[in-house]
Amino acid sequence: MAKTRKAVRQFFETKKSKYALKLDQTSSKIRLTSIFRISIFIATVIAVYITSAYHWPYLVVSAAIGLAAFIYMVIRHASLFKQKNWYQNLMAINQAELDVLNGDTSSKYEGVQWNEADHPFVNDLDIFGRKSLFQLIDRSATQQGRNYLAGHLKNPVKSKTVLNQRQKAISELSEKPDFRQYFQVSGNIRDENENSLPGLLEWIQNKQSSFNSVFNKIMLFINPVIGFVVLF
């Protein structure tokens, strides 16, 4: 049974409120984690300073315990920031849907770059532009996705078999709103830049795993601790 406009609005409002609450909870956890991280760092420095006057095993144990706790809090902090970004994107998606229901499509891509003066129907049917068909149906999370959608709108599929397959896919996905939104957020988080050069993208893909590895991120925080240990 098709959902009424009121039911659809209520669905998006409920989702937005749900993710707003989760975002607030996550933000509170981030603040607490920051406090704990600083406290552990200070406590570790003090412990190392005090134990340095005794046997070195005490110093090593104090530094190891403090460092392990500090690393854990760093990893926890990074994980919470990912959650925060996730909930922010989910809130933005549901707000965008509410805006569309209210007739406001200003936050949606207009797709005017795909307009062609000599196209047989694009301009007459308002396929692209403000309050166009493209704005109403576009839920792409990447530029490649928008290019793909625009291409199909300009050159519709005529195969009955393919059309039936797509109708079945749409029917199935229409019953999985959470899956659709999670999929869309996953694409948004990629933070894709449509103007990136292919060579740069390839370099990033090859280097990203090494520069953004957990080890290197941890070392950014371990190095200051080691510096303090050496000083004291």
Side-chain angles (χ1 to χ4, degrees):
M1 181 181 296
K3 293 182 178 179
T4 63
R5 186 182 183 86
K6 182 179 180 180
V8 172
R9 183 185 302 276
Q10 184 177 7
F11 171 82
F12 291 124
E13 289 177 345
T14 300
K15 288 294 183 181
K16 181 185 174 183
S17 299
K18 172 186 174 181
Y19 296 128
L21 178 60
K22 287 185 176 293
L23 178 61
D24 184 62
Q25 294 172 342
T26 303
S27 297
S28 297
K29 291 179 181 179
I30 289 175
R31 288 191 292 270
L32 287 174
T33 304
S34 298
I35 294 173
F36 287 146
R37 186 176 58 180
I38 295 173
S39 300
I40 290 172
F41 178 79
I42 295 174
T44 301
V45 172
I46 294 173
V48 168
Y49 177 77
I50 294 174
T51 55
S52 63
Y54 300 93
H55 297 293
W56 68 267
Y58 295 108
L59 185 149
V60 173
V61 171
S62 298
I65 293 175
L67 192 58
F70 185 79
I71 291 173
Y72 170 77
M73 296 308 297
V74 169
I75 296 174
R76 174 66 174 163
H77 197 259
S79 176
L80 288 172
F81 260 103
K82 288 183 179 180
Q83 289 183 24
K84 180 181 178 180
N85 190 22
W86 181 266
Y87 293 134
Q88 285 176 331
N89 273 272
L90 284 170
M91 281 186 60
I93 286 174
N94 285 279
Q95 181 59 56
E97 297 294 351
L98 290 170
D99 291 341
V100 171
L101 287 174
N102 293 328
D104 180 10
T105 60
S106 58
S107 63
K108 308 286 290 183
Y109 282 85
E110 296 184 5
V112 292
Q113 64 268 36
W114 291 297
N115 272 327
E116 295 180 10
D118 57 349
H119 195 278
F121 61 81
V122 162
N123 295 311
D124 293 336
L125 299 180
D126 293 328
I127 301 298
F128 303 108
R130 189 175 180 182
K131 295 185 182 299
S132 62
L133 176 63
F134 181 81
Q135 275 197 320
L136 293 176
I137 68 175
D138 176 37
R139 298 299 183 274
S140 305
T142 65
Q143 186 59 35
Q144 283 87 346
R146 295 186 191 95
N147 292 338
Y148 189 78
L149 174 60
H152 281 288
L153 290 176
K154 292 172 63 176
N155 302 285
V157 173
K158 300 179 181 179
S159 170
K160 183 177 180 181
T161 301
V162 175
L163 289 173
N164 287 333
Q165 291 174 345
R166 291 183 178 177
Q167 287 177 348
K168 290 180 181 179
I170 292 172
S171 178
E172 181 178 350
L173 288 172
S174 66
E175 302 298 327
K176 299 178 179 180
D178 288 332
F179 171 81
R180 298 199 312 269
Q181 290 194 355
Y182 292 163
F183 187 85
Q184 189 173 350
V185 169
S186 297
N188 290 341
I189 290 177
R190 290 180 56 190
D191 194 21
E192 181 185 65
N193 182 0
E194 61 178 298
N195 297 318
S196 296
L197 296 174
L200 179 60
L201 287 175
E202 183 178 357
W203 182 86
I204 291 175
Q205 291 173 354
N206 292 333
K207 300 296 182 181
Q208 188 175 15
S209 59
S210 59
F211 284 114
N212 292 334
S213 65
V214 174
F215 174 78
N216 285 323
K217 288 181 179 179
I218 292 175
M219 287 304 297
L220 291 175
F221 296 95
I222 292 179
N223 285 333
V225 177
I226 296 176
F228 272 100
V229 171
V230 172
L231 288 175
F232 291 105

